[in-house]
Amino acid sequence: QSVLTQPPSVSAAPGQKVTISCSGSSSNIGNNYVSWYQQLPGTAPELLIYDNNKRPSGIPDRFSGSKSGTSATLGITGLQTGDEADYYCGTWDSSLSAVVFGGGTKLTVL
Amino acid sequence: EVQLVQSGAEVNTPGESLKISCKGSGYSFTNYWIAWVRHMPGKGLEWMGIIYPGDSDTRYSPSFQGHVTISADKSISTAYLQWYSLKASDSAMYYCARHEVAGTSIFDYWGQGTLVTVSS
């Protein structure tokens, strides 16, 4: 059971928009920055979003992040078949003194 | 170019010891933390701990403290994850990742992963 809660799967059609939620508590999301990772099949995770809403160099602006209270959201617009992947949220948990991740959300682009 | 290159897949029996590696290049290895992350089949990512190769400061997740040992040899820019007595439940993919600031969840470069299989 992961500390952060994500929906197991989401789906949408090419060109559409999808959002992935990540729910936590005051000891993690509520008081710390959130990161998001994309894991394409058979590859290592890649940093998509950090500090709640910042994108590393090379990440297209189709990807966005937001945070409100103890929840965070990843948004992806203009969906492409190449976006099919597992997406993970992560943050620091001040009570556990550890990085915690969500269980992952599998995105299917229909 | 920043790269983290991990050692190859391992197949071991329960009770054996194992040490896997992660070699960094393309950046100052001693100035960034290296994290280890476990990914079990069908499960989420799990942060195991981190090491700062510059001074070997090491911090463990409470879930992994006492079960694994993280170390580094800065002279060869390599970090290690070690088990002294493997269990079948240690079977997983293990990733190393570069980590600029302890106490955050920002891992900007990742190794390709090392698959560990423990089976009798």
Side-chain angles (χ1 to χ4, degrees):
Chain A
Q1 188 100 7
S2 300
V3 173
L4 305 180
T5 301
Q6 298 181 234
S9 63
V10 295
S11 62
Q16 297 300 303
K17 174 182 177 178
V18 71
T19 60
I20 298 173
S21 61
C22 176
S23 178
S25 68
S26 58
S27 66
N28 42 67
I29 292 178
N31 284 284
N32 293 287
Y33 288 112
V34 176
S35 302
W36 288 91
Y37 295 86
Q38 177 193 61
Q39 187 172 30
L40 297 168
T43 69
E46 178 184 13
L47 180 65
L48 269 186
I49 298 289
Y50 68 98
D51 289 356
N52 302 334
N53 55 18
K54 297 177 183 174
R55 283 177 287 106
S57 173
I59 300 299
D61 59 8
R62 299 189 300 108
F63 296 91
S64 63
S66 63
K67 189 183 99 167
S68 178
T70 58
S71 293
T73 302
L74 173 70
I76 311 173
T77 60
L79 278 171
Q80 304 172 1
T81 55
D83 296 331
E84 288 200 333
D86 293 323
Y87 292 84
Y88 295 92
C89 57
T91 189
W92 180 256
D93 190 298
S94 305
S95 295
L96 298 174
S97 293
V99 174
V100 292
F101 291 101
T105 298
K106 182 176 182 60
L107 169 64
T108 300
V109 181
L110 302 169
Chain B
E1 178 194 9
V2 174
Q3 283 193 312
L4 295 173
V5 178
Q6 297 184 231
S7 49
E10 300 275 358
V11 178
N12 295 82
T13 56
E16 286 188 322
S17 62
L18 176 65
K19 193 174 189 178
I20 62 175
S21 66
C22 168
K23 183 174 176 62
S25 63
Y27 73 101
S28 178
F29 188 73
T30 54
N31 289 347
Y32 290 81
W33 297 82
I34 290 288
W36 286 96
V37 176
R38 183 173 78 175
H39 193 193
M40 301 179 75
K43 304 293 184 182
L45 303 173
E46 298 175 275
W47 181 82
M48 303 175 72
I50 53 175
I51 188 165
Y52 191 76
D55 61 7
S56 292
D57 183 6
T58 308
R59 305 174 190 184
Y60 292 92
S61 162
S63 299
F64 291 91
Q65 177 87 48
H67 297 289
V68 296
T69 299
I70 295 172
S71 61
D73 184 340
K74 62 183 179 182
S75 70
I76 55 172
S77 301
T78 301
Y80 302 96
L81 179 64
Q82 184 172 18
W83 295 260
Y84 291 101
S85 182
L86 284 163
K87 303 175 183 178
S89 57
D90 293 318
S91 296
M93 180 70 83
Y94 293 87
Y95 294 101
C96 64
R98 194 180 80 161
H99 186 47
E100 184 168 5
V101 180
T104 72
S105 60
I106 305 171
F107 307 104
D108 58 355
Y109 289 91
W110 294 66
Q112 82 277 18
T114 296
L115 182 64
V116 173
T117 303
V118 185
S119 175
S120 55

